[in-house]
Amino acid sequence: MQTNVGVKMLEVTAIVMGKTNTIHPVLIWDEDGAILVDTGYPGQLPLFREAMEKAGVPFDKLSKVVITHQDLDHIGSLPAMLNESSRKIEVLAHEAELPYIQGEKRLLKVTPEAIAQALASLPKEVPPEWRSAFKATLENPPKAKVDTTVADGEKLPYCGGITIIGTPGHTPGHISLYHHPSKTLISGDAMTVADGQLLGPAPQHTFDMNLAIRSLKKLAQYDIETVVCYHGGLYKGNANERIAELANGLQTKQQNR
């Protein structure tokens, strides 16, 4: 096992849609470079630079970005990162997410109805120019080229080994990552954490709930010491037992609906 591998959950906090929002991307690095999992909302590059510096990893060490899925809060700052970096950054994602990330297809959840709901949910004190800018971002989301597609079960030979776990449901090509040396599961939006508790996917944001539940069962197969959820952050403890419990409980609930 490499001893000079680092893993750090970043905390990126900003006002989004008039509310304070914190996301938890993950940074993994060794002497060869750094890998960032997900890139936040549009306009958050300065916050990522700051968070990486706090982790002791300069932005220019970033060599790869893995996108777990197409949602705006995961791809938002990707184009800016690619443009600002002094080195070539390789972008990796699942094949099913590629046309959305590259702007060839409209993001699945950014429908006209969703845009209208998002604008209606903004606090009244949000200035008109901010509303217009937000609407323009939703209608024309950031896009960037995906260099490499990854598949379920593929093991990336970086930073001691990272396995791609296909966890569709939240979106059709959603992936999670398992970092072998640290036994860390990077779940993306396959799960969430609230009040210190590990929870399943949020139904209101999940494209296919039945598929998302089946994906949970796959996660329980790994020897997990730490879970990082993009929304909610860190979970430590009996992760495998908790994930199995979630999968079984949610499956029963779906069957009884």
Side-chain angles (χ1 to χ4, degrees):
M1 181 190 301
Q2 291 177 273
T3 58
N4 54 349
V5 172
V7 181
K8 178 70 173 179
M9 181 189 76
L10 307 181
E11 293 191 4
V12 177
T13 300
I15 302 297
V16 178
M17 294 176 59
K19 302 175 183 178
T20 301
N21 180 281
T22 299
I23 53 174
H24 301 87
V26 176
L27 191 64
I28 309 171
W29 69 93
D30 61 13
E31 69 273 7
D32 296 323
I35 301 169
L36 177 66
V37 183
D38 290 328
T39 65
Y41 290 91
Q44 292 191 329
L45 176 56
L47 300 178
F48 273 82
R49 283 184 176 273
E50 181 182 355
M52 290 178 66
E53 291 288 346
K54 285 183 178 179
V57 181
F59 176 74
D60 287 337
K61 189 177 175 68
L62 187 61
S63 57
K64 302 179 190 301
V65 170
V66 180
I67 299 295
T68 60
H69 63 290
Q70 63 183 269
D71 287 350
L72 186 63
D73 56 334
H74 293 255
I75 66 170
S77 288
L78 177 58
M81 290 182 182
L82 301 182
N83 291 334
E84 292 295 320
S85 177
S86 62
R87 66 188 291 178
K88 164 66 177 175
I89 297 177
E90 180 185 8
V91 179
L92 301 89
H94 191 277
E95 184 177 12
E97 301 293 290
L98 182 148
Y100 303 97
I101 298 168
Q102 295 189 158
E104 296 158 8
K105 292 184 178 181
R106 186 186 69 190
L107 301 183
L108 286 172
K109 298 174 188 175
V110 184
T111 62
E113 294 79 10
I115 292 174
Q117 289 175 3
L119 292 171
S121 70
L122 292 174
K124 294 181 180 179
E125 61 269 20
V126 173
E129 59 271 22
W130 286 21
R131 290 179 180 271
S132 297
F134 180 55
K135 183 174 184 288
T137 298
L138 292 177
E139 292 175 340
N140 299 282
K143 57 184 178 181
K145 183 179 182 296
V146 174
D147 300 297
T148 305
T149 56
V150 294
D152 179 37
E154 181 176 349
K155 188 171 181 179
L156 306 179
Y158 312 124
C159 301
I162 302 168
T163 292
I164 301 296
I165 311 171
T167 48
H170 183 76
T171 63
H174 187 285
I175 59 172
S176 301
L177 293 83
Y178 179 75
H179 182 239
H180 290 266
S182 65
K183 297 184 179 181
T184 298
L185 174 68
I186 304 166
S187 76
D189 285 354
M191 294 184 289
T192 61
V193 170
D195 299 322
Q197 291 298 311
L198 187 63
L199 305 175
Q204 69 271 28
H205 301 304
T206 299
F207 190 73
D208 185 329
M209 193 63 183
N210 288 322
L211 189 55
I213 293 168
R214 291 200 295 272
S215 292
L216 284 182
K217 292 180 178 292
K218 293 171 64 176
L219 296 177
Q221 300 171 14
Y222 292 81
D223 181 14
I224 303 166
E225 290 186 358
T226 303
V227 180
V228 180
C229 296
Y230 199 69
H231 299 286
L234 206 65
Y235 178 85
K236 285 181 173 286
N238 56 340
N240 288 84
E241 293 178 17
R242 177 57 179 161
I243 293 170
E245 177 186 351
L246 284 171
N248 292 330
L250 288 170
Q251 185 176 50
T252 299
K253 185 176 180 180
Q254 284 292 104
Q255 291 172 344
N256 291 336
R257 289 183 66 180

